[in-house]
Structures are given as C-alpha cells and as structure tokens.
Amino acid sequence: MYLIIVFGPLLGALIAGLFGRIIGDKLAQIVTTGLLLLSAILSIYAFSQVAYGGHERLIPVMNWFSVGGFHADWALRIDTLTAVMLVVVTFVSGLVHVYSWGYMADDPHKARFFSYLSFFTFAMLMLVTADNFLQMFFGWEGVGLASYLLIGFWYKKPAANAAAIKAFVTNRVGDFGFALGIFTIFAVFGSLEFDTVFAAVHDKTELVIPFLWMQFNAIELIAFLLFIGAMGKSAQFFLHVWLPDAMEGPTPVSALIHAATMVTAGVFLVARAAPIFELAPDASLFVTIIGAMTAFFAATIGLVQNDIKRVIAYSTCSQLGYMFMAGGLGMYDAAIFHLFTHAFFKALLFLGAGSVIIGLHHEQDMRKMGGIYKRMPLTWIVMIIGTIALTGVGIPGTSIGFAGFFSKDAIIEGAWEAGAAGTAFGYPAFWVGIVAALMTSFYSWRVIFMTFHGKYRGDDHTFDHSKESPRSMLIPLGLLSAGAIFAGVLFVGDFVGDKQGQFWRGATVIEGVQSHDAPIADAHGTADGHQVAAASHDPSATEMAEDHKAVDGGGHHVPLWVLWSPFVVTLLGFMIAWFIYMMHEGLGARMAARSRIVHPFLYNKWYFDEIYDFVLVRGARKLGDLFWKGGDQRLIDGYGPNGFAAASLAWARQIVKLQTGLLYHYAFITLIGLVGFITWVLLSGATGSLIGAGIGAGIGGGH
C-alpha cells in the first residue's frame, strides 16, 4: 500500500512526461489524476491505521549505496507525523489535479503540466517518508527542482522565468545550510539514520566542535544549520523573497506549492528533528524570533497588495511564521496541527482566487474587480469559508469554530503559557501573534470586499462575460471547504488535546519529546520479533517533558482575556475592513494615494528586493567585474598569455625590418660580418694559434 502511495505519482509523472505526445493530453490527465486520487484514498486509510491503530512501521525499499563504513538505505518511515503529511500532500495534490482539468483546459501543454505536478508530489512524498537525513535531502532537492519547473511552466513569459530562477537560487542558499547540517550530523554521530541520531543526541549535548575558526556546541550548530534549510524552503524572513514572485506560475501550482506542500517542508523538518531542537535552546530561540518576525512582516505587506494571489501568498508566509514560532517554543504538535488545518483553507483560497481569475479572463488586480458575487456565487461562498477559517473565527472555550480557530489559537495561547513558564520570547511571541491576527483579518476581508462587493471597477466587457467556474473546479473547492470547516473541531483533541498521547504514538512531536527506545516496525508490523505497542517515554524523556519549555498547545490554563484576545482582534480587523471598503468605498484608494511613507514602504515589501538587488546582485556583479576585468583580463591575461604574445609581436615587428629583400644590403651585412670576425680573431690572439697549428701540420706532413 505504501509503495503505491509513494511511487504511484512517480509512475504517472513518467507516463505523462515521456509518452504524453503518444497517448495524448486526455489520457495523460486521466493517468496522473487517477494515480494521485488512489494515493490520496490509500493515505487516508493509512492515516486511520497509523494514528489510531498503532501500525507504525519501517518499510525497506532498497540499499541505496554503501561507501566504506557508510550505508544509506532507502526506506519508508511510517509514523503519525508521516501519516499526517501523507494525507495533506496527496489530498491537496489530488484535488489540484482535478481542479487543473478546468483551469488548464486551454493550455496546449497539459501533459507536461500534469507530469510536473505528479513529480512534485512524488518528491514531497519522498521527503516526508524519509528514514534518514540523506533521503530527506533527496526529496528536499526534488521539490526544489519541481517548483522551478512549475513556477516557470509558462516559459515564454520573462516574468515566469525570472520568478523560477529567483525561487531556485534563493532555495539554494537555504539548501546549502541544510547540507552543512547533514555533514555535521554525520561527523558528530557517524550516521544519518533518524533512530540512531535521536537516540544518541543526549550523549552529545556537551560536545564542542570547531566551525569557521570558532567553537560551537555541536547540537546547537546542527539545529541552526537545519533551520537555515527550513528558512529557505518555507520562505521565512530574509529568505522569503521568492514566494510572492512564484505567483507567476499557474494558480494550481500556487495552491500545491504554497498552501500544503513545499513551503511546509521546513515545518516538517523542525518537527521531525524535535529531539535535536529540544536540546538546542539558543537555536530554538532563533527559530521563535524568525517565525514571529515572519508572521508580522508578511502580514504588514499583505495589507496593501492589490494582486489577489500575492495577498494570499503573503498570508501563507505569515501563517508559516506562526508554525515556526510554535516549533521554536517547543509546541511541535500545535505547529503540525496548524500545518494540517492551513492546508485546507489556504488551498481553498488559492483555488478560489484561481476561479475568480478564470472567471474574469485572467485578471488578478483587485482594483479592477468588485461586485461579482452575483456572477460567481459559489466561488464567493467558498472564498468566504476560506477567509473565516484563515482568520480563525470561533467561540473561545467551546467547540464551535472553523479550522483556523483551533490551530492558530492553540499557538497564540501556547505562546502565553510559554511566557508564563519563563520561556524566553514567550510573551513577545504572544503579542506578535495577536497583532498578526488583527492584520490577517483585515487583509483577508479586504480581499473579499474588493473582489466580490461594491462597484465593478474593470471594463464592462469582462464583467458581462464573467461566469462561474466549471464543475471540475468547483468540486475540489467544495471538498476543501468541508476541510476548512471541520478539520479543526474533528482533530483538535488528537493533535493538541487530551488524546494526543495516543495519537502521536511513535512520532517525535508530542510535547516536543518522544521515546526513541521503542523501535518502528518493519513491513510486517513487528519490531525485533514483537508486536509494536504504544511507545512509552523513557526516564530522560519524561523528565524533559516535565521541564518542557511550553505547555502543550491547548491553551487550557490562560487568563480569560488571553483566551478571547484572538477573537476580539479578528472581529476588529473585520470591522475596519468593512468601514474602509464597504461603508466608505474608495477610502482605501484615497488613503493609499495620500500616504507618502507607510503605504509605499509596505507596498514595496519593505524594499527587500531593492536592498538585495543593491547589496547582493549589484555587489556580486561588481565583485565579478573586479575579478574578471581587473584580475583576469588585466593581471592574469595582461601579464600572462596576452603579455607574452604582445612582447613577441613587438619584437617580431622590429626584427622584420632587417629583412629588406635587397641584395646589396645583404652583401654589405656579410662584409661587415666578415670584417668583424677578422677583427675578433686578431684581437683575441687567435692568429698565432692558427699559424702555429699550420706550421705543425706542415712539419708533420714532411715526415
């Protein structure tokens, strides 16, 4: 079953990619979509078996390679964390495949597009099922390649090519850090296997290793380098610049990459490596700070963007900041819970935006929209559902609420509990989460009001021909809407509630700690010849859990005002958006026009692109020019091959002047040479020697 889940998308990608022209677009779509839906169905079944049946296991695939004493096996690690990611990846990817039937109906390269989608899914599945860091890196790089292909799918658009290159290069920065982290893990532990590394991590807490002419704690260094990789893949502060530009790809790509899969890889990495981060408090603090900065920074930019997809993209960036903030505070369970719910409502918003774009003939500027809810009522409804889920609408203290209410509030309330427990940056993280929630509510409802309400601001021809999307696009929207409504209330007890001990059995995220003494079963459901039972905490894990930095992300022990704060700011954000874009339509545009500092600063994304262009791009170009023109051309070539060539040419031009071609010149030179030779002989005493030699020869001849 698990082999079908993982390798089914790869088979579909190969068939559509290699034989698409032979079998045709329609059959390529059927094959890839069918295999993805099969993987999704099997993933849901696997989730029920693993999370609730205790069927954790390790499935060997093959021996990858062996070099000396190093062995890398290819195996599928199946535990609750993997099962959650399998559902998220395959479910969203399957719906994106179905949705793309309608969205890409007029594209002439559908087989190639569906091949790329399936390959991306396979790479992501390889990442989340990895049993060692090397296999994870294989999937990590695979999703990077697939994202490059998908973002630049419309390769005839210069903007799409530039966005694909930007995403690829930015991710290489993070991947370099991830690779260094893997090298360090092998140097410290002598293995890259998760079980081996996590079991020995307690014994290495005092180890100090040299790096960059300095001494570092080994565990802190490993955690820091791993997070650098997560920053690039999950578009965190400083390495976020690729995410909004990636909107140049088709909208289904945005839903697949930015909602539920690639950008969540970094969160998955932190959760999987929780035993390492638990023993690296400084690195965990860095994770918390970067996550909080990202949540705040991206939310501020989303306030003023006019491209409907860019607003949702920055919303994704901000929500990822929440997840990392939770992970840094030790609430790995809450981070994965928010990842899980976020996949539904953010994919819903991206695909809903795609429905709007298709309905308005590929118009993405919200300033040219408005009043289309009557033309596209179903899209309007699902977008409102996604917005309510994203903003986290619900009644605190009850089980009434949309998906984001349970997961986001768990992080915010958990941050307060962490601060109360003395965790560094716990209270600041709480306030950042509250402010970001206020901005999230404002820009989310701004999208709804500018897109669907008020007066239509585009051309009349586009409005008159706007229409609801086809059924192939609406069915995925309906299914995602169900997830956006019910995913939180159905699973809150399992992820962060009173059932989490049983739910996270065998994984590494429950309260940030999990026993590594209990082996994972092999393909037959046994481990060391015994049936696998629920993993029990070892003494060290129990002690760590008791002293854990943060209470689990349930928010059960916070003051009443803390409990209600997210709801209040969410309501306030809605009211502000209503006042500006509904009660006083056009006020937002007038405020933006009058602003001379704040709006340009936010609209230009804090000028990060300009700063990076000035410091990095232009700086690299100037450095390259220095080495090229100054070092290579002037120094090396000037005094090397070009220098010798120039000197030889100069000497040749002087010497060639001696060759006149006139006989009397050559006779004169010969005469001068003869006179010179005779003079040399006379002056050097060579004459006596020659006469003596002649006399001796004559006497000898007489005898």
Side-chain angles (χ1 to χ4, degrees), residues 125-479:
L125 292 174
M126 285 303 307
L127 191 158
V128 301
T129 59
D131 183 51
N132 57 73
F133 285 100
L134 189 61
Q135 184 180 336
M136 179 182 284
F137 191 73
F138 171 79
W140 195 272
E141 293 301 299
V143 295
L145 170 61
S147 68
Y148 170 80
L149 297 174
L150 287 168
I151 295 170
F153 178 76
W154 288 324
Y155 58 88
K156 293 184 179 180
K157 290 177 56 179
N161 288 326
I165 294 173
K166 188 176 184 179
F168 194 80
V169 172
T170 305
N171 274 272
R172 297 290 74 72
V173 176
D175 294 352
F176 180 67
F178 188 20
L180 290 178
I182 294 175
F183 298 156
T184 309
I185 289 173
F186 183 74
V188 171
F189 297 98
S191 174
L192 297 179
E193 300 291 333
F194 290 151
D195 287 337
T196 303
V197 173
F198 296 157
V201 68
H202 290 83
D203 301 329
K204 304 293 184 179
T205 54
E206 302 299 327
L207 178 64
V208 176
I209 59 176
F211 182 72
L212 296 178
W213 307 283
M214 293 179 286
Q215 301 293 321
F216 292 92
N217 178 275
I219 305 303
E220 292 279 7
L221 180 60
I222 290 171
F224 175 79
L225 292 174
L226 292 180
F227 180 63
I228 295 299
M231 286 178 62
K233 198 67 70 182
S234 295
Q236 292 300 282
F237 196 65
F238 295 122
L239 295 180
H240 67 277
V241 292
W242 67 270
L243 185 63
D245 290 343
M247 296 300 103
E248 294 294 337
T251 298
V253 173
S254 302
L256 184 63
I257 293 179
H258 308 127
T261 49
M262 175 176 163
V263 294
T264 61
V267 181
F268 171 80
L269 171 62
V270 172
R272 177 61 82 194
I276 295 176
F277 283 91
E278 274 298 309
L279 299 177
D282 293 336
S284 295
L285 177 61
F286 180 68
V287 174
T288 305
I289 294 174
I290 291 296
M293 291 176 63
T294 304
F296 175 80
F297 157 79
T300 62
I301 298 178
L303 296 174
V304 298
Q305 297 301 307
N306 297 314
D307 186 311
I308 186 172
K309 288 175 61 178
R310 284 181 180 268
V311 176
I312 302 174
Y314 277 110
S315 174
T316 299
C317 193
S318 181
Q319 297 305 307
L320 289 167
Y322 274 100
M323 300 175 203
F324 280 108
M325 188 170 68
L329 292 172
M331 299 181 294
Y332 309 103
D333 47 1
I336 296 300
F337 186 34
H338 196 46
L339 183 156
F340 179 74
T341 61
H342 177 265
F344 294 101
F345 57 74
K346 192 52 63 69
L348 175 62
L349 287 171
F350 267 119
L351 297 185
S355 180
V356 172
I357 293 169
I358 286 294
L360 296 179
H361 304 285
H362 297 279
E363 180 59 67
Q364 297 184 200
D365 192 337
M366 295 187 298
R367 293 171 296 184
K368 299 179 182 179
M369 300 179 186
I372 64 171
Y373 74 96
K374 293 181 180 179
R375 309 287 298 186
M376 309 178 68
L378 296 179
T379 300
W380 172 58
I381 292 173
V382 299
M383 286 289 286
I384 288 180
I385 292 174
T387 297
I388 294 175
L390 169 62
T391 56
V393 175
I395 302 177
T398 70
S399 298
I400 301 174
F402 285 66
F405 163 72
F406 296 96
S407 58
K408 185 182 68 176
D409 283 22
I411 294 175
I412 293 175
E413 294 155 11
W416 175 271
E417 291 179 331
T423 302
F425 210 76
Y427 285 138
F430 166 79
W431 287 111
V432 170
I434 290 295
V435 174
L438 171 64
M439 293 187 287
T440 299
S441 179
F442 173 80
Y443 67 65
S444 298
W445 288 108
R446 175 177 176 264
V447 170
I448 296 296
F449 297 149
M450 289 186 67
T451 302
F452 295 98
H453 297 274
K455 297 179 181 179
Y456 183 74
R457 298 173 294 276
D459 61 274
D460 294 335
H461 176 77
T462 301
F463 181 79
D464 293 338
H465 290 80
S466 61
K467 60 180 180 179
E468 189 61 270
S469 299
R471 186 177 301 175
S472 61
M473 297 172 64
L474 293 177
I475 292 176
L477 291 175
L479 293 175

Side-chain angles (χ1 to χ4, degrees), residues 539-564:
S540 61
T542 303
E543 180 181 353
M544 287 180 61
E546 293 174 352
D547 297 333
H548 193 253
K549 298 177 295 184
V551 186
D552 70 71
H556 303 299
H557 308 288
V558 298
L560 190 62
W561 71 269
V562 172
L563 195 66
W564 280 87

Side-chain angles (χ1 to χ4, degrees), residues 656 658-673:
V656 76
L658 299 176
Q659 304 296 326
T660 64
L662 300 177
L663 182 60
Y664 65 88
H665 283 173
Y666 299 150
F668 177 73
I669 293 174
T670 302
L671 178 62
I672 294 299

Side-chain angles (χ1 to χ4, degrees), residues 25-209:
D25 289 340
K26 182 65 69 175
L27 187 55
Q29 291 175 248
I30 293 174
V31 170
T32 53
T33 305
L35 289 172
L36 245 301
L37 293 177
L38 176 62
S39 292
I41 294 171
L42 293 177
S43 295
I44 295 173
Y45 175 75
F47 175 77
S48 66
Q49 292 294 302
V50 175
Y52 303 108
H55 294 170
E56 301 87 5
R57 62 188 60 196
L58 185 67
I59 303 176
V61 177
M62 59 178 290
N63 177 262
W64 197 355
F65 59 84
S66 299
V67 178
F70 175 69
H71 303 279
D73 293 327
W74 195 347
L76 306 182
R77 181 186 184 91
I78 307 300
D79 58 15
T80 303
L81 180 58
T82 301
V84 170
M85 296 302 297
L86 288 179
V87 171
V88 168
V89 173
T90 58
F91 184 77
V92 174
S93 181
L95 294 182
V96 167
H97 274 71
V98 175
Y99 179 92
S100 299
W101 280 58
Y103 192 91
M104 303 295 290
D106 298 327
D107 194 275
H109 305 292
K110 289 189 284 290
R112 179 164 61 90
F113 179 76
F114 279 83
S115 175
Y116 289 171
L117 286 181
S118 294
F119 174 71
F120 179 93
T121 306
F122 162 73
M124 192 66 194
L125 292 174
M126 285 303 307
L127 191 158
V128 301
T129 59
D131 183 51
N132 57 73
F133 285 100
L134 189 61
Q135 184 180 336
M136 179 182 284
F137 191 73
F138 171 79
W140 195 272
E141 293 301 299
V143 295
L145 170 61
S147 68
Y148 170 80
L149 297 174
L150 287 168
I151 295 170
F153 178 76
W154 288 324
Y155 58 88
K156 293 184 179 180
K157 290 177 56 179
N161 288 326
I165 294 173
K166 188 176 184 179
F168 194 80
V169 172
T170 305
N171 274 272
R172 297 290 74 72
V173 176
D175 294 352
F176 180 67
F178 188 20
L180 290 178
I182 294 175
F183 298 156
T184 309
I185 289 173
F186 183 74
V188 171
F189 297 98
S191 174
L192 297 179
E193 300 291 333
F194 290 151
D195 287 337
T196 303
V197 173
F198 296 157
V201 68
H202 290 83
D203 301 329
K204 304 293 184 179
T205 54
E206 302 299 327
L207 178 64
V208 176
I209 59 176

